[in-house]
Each structure stands twice: as C-alpha cells, then as structure tokens.
Amino acid sequence: MPEIERAAVIGLGPIGASWTVAFARSGLPVSVFDVDAARRDAIADECRRSFTGLGMTAEAILAAMGLVSVATTLADAVAGADYVQEAASETLEVKRALFAALDAACGPETLIVSSTSAMPLTTFAAELPGRERMLIAHPATPPHLLPVVELVPAPFTPERTVARTAALMAAIGQSPIVVRKEVRAFVMNRILAAMFVEMGRLIGDGVVSPRDADAAIRDGFALRWAFLGPLEGADLNNAGGIEEYLTKYNSLYEDYARETKGSAPVFTRELIETIARDMRARVPLENIPERRLWRDESIMALRELRAKRGSGIT
Ligand SMILES: NC(=O)c1ccc[n+]([C@@H]2O[C@H](COP(=O)([O-])OP(=O)(O)OC[C@H]3O[C@@H](n4cnc5c(N)ncnc54)[C@H](O)[C@@H]3O)[C@@H](O)[C@H]2O)c1
C-alpha cells in the first residue's frame, strides 16, 4: 500500500484551513488552493495563528510553515499529491465540477476525498472513471482539534481506499469511524439533528430558554461525553449495564418516537429569531472570534487531560 507523502487541500474556508494545519502539524507537506485569491493570501497567517494556538515552539512553527505551499491553480496544487482533501463550498454543483476536475488532474493512485457534511459520494462522483479512489472524510469543526472523522464509502468504493484513508487519518492523529451505508447527513450530523430538533421543540413550546437548554448539555452530559460515548455512559449508570438501562427506559423512548413522528417544522423564522436574540445577548457577534479562541484553548486543555487519563474502552 503506497504511503501518503504529500497532501493537497482544495478550498480554504474554516475547514480547509484547519485540515492544512492538521497535515502540516504532523510533518506532511501540503499544497493548498482556493478559487478566491483573498483566501489564498490569508491562509499562511491563519496557519501561523493556529500553530501558535497549539502551543508549538517557534522552531516547530517554522518547520510546519515550510511544509505549506500555496498554489494558484488546481493543477499545481494536486501535482505530486497522493492525497487530496476537498473542502470547497457545500453545493452539489461545486462538488460535481470539482470532483470531475480532480479526477482528470490527479494521478491514478491519488486518493480524492471530500469533507462534505451531508452529501453521499454517489450524488456527485458515481459517473467518474476514477471513482474507486474517492471517498468522504467528514470532520468535526475544527478538524485539527477534534479528532473524529467519518469515512463514508459509496457502494463503488473498494476497501483499499477506505483503509488507505483511515491509515493516513490515524497517522495525523485523527480518529476515523466508518459509516457502513450511504445515508444523507451520515452519522454525526444525524445524531446532532435529533438533538437540535428536540431543543427547537422544547424552546419553541416555551418549556425551556435557549440558555438553559445549552446548560442542560454543557453542565451535564457533555462533561461525561468528553470521556465516554452516550452508550458507555448509560452502561455505567445501572448495575445491569446497558441492557438494564435500555430495558428500563425503553417505553420512554418508544413514547418519544411515537409522539414526535411527523411533527411540524421546528425551526420557524420566529423561533430562529428568538434563539438568535438570546444568543446575541450572551455573545455579541463581534466577540465570536475571541470566543472561538477560548473554545479552541478549552478543547486543547481537555484533550491534554484525556491523554493523561487514557481514553478507556474503544
Ligand atoms: N463548517 C463546518 O462546520 C463544517 C464541518 C464539517 C465539514 N464541513 C464541510 O467542509 C466543506 C468546507 O466547509 P467550510 O465551512 O470551510 O466552507 P466555506 O464555504 O466557508 O469555504 C469553502 C471555500 O471553498 C472555496 N471554493 C469554492 N469552490 C471552489 C473550487 N472549485 N476550487 C477551490 N476552492 C473553491 C471558496 O472560495 C471558499 O473559500 C463543505 O463541504 C462543508 O460541508 C463543514
């Protein structure tokens, strides 16, 4: 199996920029490209800020910066790359055109991998001659701090493509999971959607304020979930483990599923405005960049703690 020796990142929004940091931090040379010249101009400074935020030494930052090269064409970016991480805009037209262009421009062994949050590979790559080296690797935000990445093969993706991508992801410190069937929005965003829909209902029905809905997760389950998944969390809460838990609370989940089936749209304009008003009172828009830095530092501190304590079962 050929080793990945050079990566390319296509699209330099927040996700492409973070992938660039993840690759270069691990010592992998990476060429980057965006159709927008302003994004190409900004990427070096953004990477430097992220490396600094990671607590890297000046010497390590210099070495990592030396691995990032900014290309002015797609062809230049992918020349010599054996792994391409696409992180362009989330529209079907962009993905279709870009994957066709990448298929034509890349060598036959080059993996071409999309960051798409929701679109199955079949919807934009099924007709391409080189489709067997294509895959989805959907990260959480930002990928250089949150290790999970969902690998989503299409029915036409061979195991070898998944295995090569998983090996690269593990080598740069990511934590790959495999989505075994192509479902819209994959696994992470489907789980998130279930939670968001319920939060929207509870807030919309006046059961809870947006602030308290956030606190319900932040000051409770989230502390546990930073170390254990929800299933293992439930396993520890009952003497009889997960079997006792699911048996005992089965009727609660059955009732919930029946009650909410086919219910009305959740995020009406009015509800969106209610939640946004509450959020802006807590964090004014101009404070978001500062708040993101605080988030990133907090995640790093938590990761250090997790590394010290070990991750428990896998
Ligand atoms: N933002 C998130 O939270 C998140 C999380 C996981 C995955 N994703 C996915 O990652 C991808 C990128 O997300 P983002 O939030 O950084 O997007 P974004 O829209 O902020 O940035 C996309 C960038 O791609 C560039 N672009 C568009 N077409 C291009 C092309 N043909 N060639 C090169 N560059 C091109 C744009 O100029 C822009 O800079 C999307 O598919 C998105 O669904 C996003």
Side-chain angles (χ1 to χ4, degrees):
M1 196 177 286
E3 279 269 308
I4 304 296
E5 289 177 352
R6 180 169 200 91
V9 173
I10 308 301
L12 299 174
I15 296 301
S18 180
W19 275 123
T20 305
V21 170
F23 290 130
R25 171 185 60 186
S26 305
L28 194 66
V30 53
S31 313
V32 302
F33 171 69
D34 195 297
V35 282
D36 180 352
R39 295 301 310 144
R40 299 198 297 269
D41 291 344
I43 187 69
D45 276 347
E46 286 178 12
C47 286
R48 197 173 291 110
R49 266 199 304 279
S50 295
F51 293 138
T52 307
L54 285 168
M56 289 165 58
T57 62
E59 202 182 8
I61 293 175
L62 204 63
M65 290 301 299
L67 295 172
V68 178
S69 51
V70 183
T72 51
T73 65
L74 184 73
D76 282 352
V78 302
D82 27 38
Y83 181 90
V84 177
Q85 184 75 45
E86 174 273 319
S89 318
E90 182 78 348
T91 74
L92 198 52
E93 299 71 46
V94 168
K95 303 292 187 203
R96 274 206 180 120
L98 193 49
F99 265 65
L102 287 169
D103 197 23
C106 293
E109 280 296 317
T110 303
L111 293 165
I112 306 175
V113 179
S114 176
S115 303
T116 177
S117 301
M119 293 186 282
L121 196 59
T122 303
T123 61
F124 58 91
E127 309 302 328
L128 297 173
R131 63 188 186 171
E132 293 197 352
R133 63 346 200 319
M134 296 176 183
L135 187 66
I136 286 165
H138 168 237
T141 312
H144 75 280
L145 291 176
L146 297 186
V148 73
V149 54
E150 310 185 274
L151 306 185
V152 194
F156 53 75
T157 313
E159 181 49 37
R160 180 171 181 271
T161 298
V162 179
R164 286 183 69 202
T165 307
L168 173 68
M169 288 294 141
I172 65 163
Q174 302 300 115
S175 170
I177 63 170
V178 179
V179 178
R180 301 193 179 282
K181 287 183 184 172
E182 274 195 315
V183 286
R184 208 182 120 67
F186 319 138
V187 168
M188 295 192 296
N189 279 334
R190 289 181 78 95
I191 294 174
L192 199 60
M195 196 185 70
F196 263 74
V197 164
E198 190 52 35
M199 278 178 133
R201 281 199 191 106
L202 292 169
I203 295 165
D205 289 349
V207 176
V208 70
S209 69
R211 177 193 298 254
D212 284 356
D214 259 356
I217 300 296
R218 182 195 61 221
D219 296 341
F221 298 137
L223 288 173
R224 203 160 79 197
W225 290 346
F227 296 90
L228 314 160
L231 294 176
E232 197 201 347
D235 193 50
L236 299 186
N237 288 355
N238 295 273
I242 190 81
E243 187 174 355
E244 181 187 332
Y245 173 83
L246 290 177
T247 308
K248 204 154 67 179
Y249 294 105
N250 190 18
S251 63
L252 186 152
Y253 292 123
E254 290 283 331
D255 288 350
Y256 176 78
R258 228 183 339 268
E259 219 179 84
T260 52
K261 198 162 184 233
S263 51
V266 178
F267 288 102
T268 59
R269 179 51 32 200
E270 194 189 348
L271 180 55
I272 292 172
E273 282 167 10
T274 302
I275 295 173
R277 239 189 334 272
D278 182 276
M279 188 62 73
R280 293 290 67 88
R282 294 151 67 191
V283 184
L285 268 188
E286 62 272 21
N287 290 3
I288 282 185
E290 184 193 322
R291 190 81 181 141
R292 277 195 191 131
L293 282 179
W294 174 85
R295 172 201 66 187
D296 291 356
E297 284 167 12
S298 307
I299 294 171
M300 272 166 44
L302 191 59
R303 286 190 61 172
E304 278 164 26
L305 180 63
R306 274 171 44 127
K308 265 195 222 133
R309 295 187 55 79
S311 62
I313 63 166
T314 53

